[in-house]
């Protein structure tokens, strides 16, 4: 089964993806994680995207599509969870074509619905928790970048809700509840 977790920053996509990896042996493909890894390892691409990411804007379609293309060529056990990808209509089209080229289908796009106040609380909370634990804080987990990230979501990513609805692939879950409750709703969608 291949699924997309769709939702604004702070909706809980990463948290739920990790649950699905543990419980169903699926493979999480988070373009955000891949880009952060590229930065940490100091690759040329990592250096190029750093400023864009810290500002909260989207990096180019070409870069993230390339990252996903590499992963789709790798091991596919348990199905893929696309987390934070696609984020634009061009990425959604590219994903469809890549899956087809690998004789795969997309089974469902799950929209995790939350409200903006909760997102701000969660992201600020995530930064505070990391700081308290002496862990590195994401450079884009601050209020200014969050505003840019939210705008990018509404302008560039939210149209994917209509896109997948039109394809008959959209399912909606309430992302406001406790982690376990959201996980149960996702489980019910996946059957
Ligand atoms: P995330 O961890 O998913 O919140 O992603 C962190 C940042 O990485 C985003 O704010 C973007 O700058 C960049 N990014 C991650 N995934 C994508 C994507 N699919 N398209 C464009 N930029 C992305």
């Amino acid at each position: 089964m291949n699924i997309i977790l769709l939702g604004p920053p702070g909706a809980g996509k990463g948290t739920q993806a990790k649950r699905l990896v543990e419980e169903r042996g699926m493979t999480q493909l988070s373009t955000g994680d891949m880009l952060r890894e590229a930065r940490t390892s100091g690759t040329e691409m990592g250096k190029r995207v750093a400023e864009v990411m810290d500002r909260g804007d989207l990096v180019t379609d070409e870069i993230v599509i390339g990252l996903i293309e590499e992963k789709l060529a790798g091991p596919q056990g348990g199905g893929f969870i696309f987390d934070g990808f696609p984020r634009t209509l061009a990425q959604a089209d590219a994903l469809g074509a890549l899956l087809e080229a690998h004789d795969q289908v997309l089974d469902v796009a799950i929209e995790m619905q939350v409200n903006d106040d909760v997102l701000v609380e969660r992201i600020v909370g995530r930064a505070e928790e990391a700081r308290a634990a002496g862990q590195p804080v994401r450079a884009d987990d601050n209020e200014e970048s969050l505003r840019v990230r939210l705008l990018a979501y509404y302008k560039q990513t939210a149209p994917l809700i209509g896109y997948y609805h039109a394809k008959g692939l959209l399912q909606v879950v309430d992302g406001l509840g406790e982690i376990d409750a959201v996980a149960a709703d996702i489980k019910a969608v996946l059957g």
Side-chain angles (χ1 to χ4, degrees), residues 13 34 37 42 50 59-60 68 82 100 131 133 137 139 159 180-182:
K13 301 185 294 292
M34 294 174 210
E37 207 177 290
V59 311
T60 65
I68 290 290
F82 297 97
E100 206 182 315
R131 213 170 278 122
V137 177
D180 284 344
V182 180

Side-chain angles (χ1 to χ4, degrees), residues 124-142:
V124 171
R126 176 161 80 188
E128 276 167 8
E129 266 174 38
R131 213 170 278 122
Q135 288 170 351
V137 177
R138 276 177 57 162
D140 59 351
D141 273 356
N142 63 75

